[in-house]
Structures are given as C-alpha cells and as structure tokens.
Amino acid sequence: MHTLLIGLAISLGAPSLKDGPKPPASPVGEWTVEASVLGGKSDGILETSPIEKIVITADRWIVVRNGQASPGSEMTLDPKQDPPHLDLDPGGKGSGTKAVYKLEGDTLMVAYTINGDRPTKVESPPDSQIRMMTLKRVKK
C-alpha cells in the first residue's frame, strides 16, 4: 500500500513529458532606470536628462522623458547568444547600437560601447568606453 501511495505521489509531482523547457524571460515591458554608468562610474545622464521610463516592445526601444515618448529605435533581440544580444537601430538603416544584456528576475542590465563595438560581457569596467544601464521592471 505504501509503495502505491509513494508511486502516485511521485508521478503527480513529476513534470509531464510534454512540458518543454521554459522560454527565456523576455525584456518586453516597461522599465525604470536605476543606474547608468560609463567606465564603471555614474555618467550623470539621470541627473542631466532624467528618463521617466523605457518601454520595450517586441521590436522597439522607446524612451519616455517628461511624459513624452521618443519615436523609439528599431530593436532586435537574440536571446540565444551568450550573453544575449540587443541591437538598436534608431534610423532603421542597419547601423546602430550593438549591446549585450542580462535579465535576472525584474532587473535588466544592458551594456554597449560608445564606438559601436559589441561588448563581450554585461559590465562597465573602470576606464572603459562601455556604458551600462540597470533597469527595474515596472510592476503593473
């Protein structure tokens, strides 16, 4: 009898074979900017030109300042890369910002270089030209 109950408990708690791997978490949503650093130090952008929020859709990155949304940039995501890639193309001409990102829970970190080369890590080491923004998901 105990063997039957244990077997039943195990089979009910086990994931179904049809349950595939979970899709990667998506950065789509609304975000507040917690920090913006360049070369490991605050870049001052939040003080000189505060960002109210960033809205990420399936294909756009939109910055909102003083209640006014920018037209945004075309955006592509490639979560299969390591680290995942995020590319912004404000003019829609195929040249723009090449970034990497890390999404952990409700925190999104995006790193990119001023000169256009894609960073290899989501970080902004001291004295580098890598800018990194730390964003927090807006709770609905």
Side-chain angles (χ1 to χ4, degrees), residues 26-85:
S26 171
V28 170
E30 293 186 2
W31 301 86
T32 58
V33 181
E34 294 263 306
S36 182
V37 297
L38 176 63
K41 299 177 188 172
S42 175
D43 61 9
I45 195 80
L46 296 178
E47 293 79 26
T48 59
S49 185
I51 297 172
E52 188 175 317
K53 65 182 171 181
I54 293 175
V55 179
I56 300 174
T57 69
D59 62 355
R60 296 208 65 80
W61 174 284
I62 302 163
V63 176
V64 179
R65 286 187 168 101
N66 301 317
Q68 299 294 315
S70 70
S73 295
E74 289 183 14
M75 183 193 69
T76 56
L77 297 171
D78 188 353
K80 294 179 182 173
Q81 297 295 320
D82 185 22
H85 291 184

Side-chain angles (χ1 to χ4, degrees), residues 44 51 84 96 113 140:
I51 297 172
T113 57
K140 298 252 174 175

Side-chain angles (χ1 to χ4, degrees), residues 24 29 87 101 113 116 131 135:
D87 293 341
Y101 72 93
T113 57
R131 183 180 307 266
L135 311 173

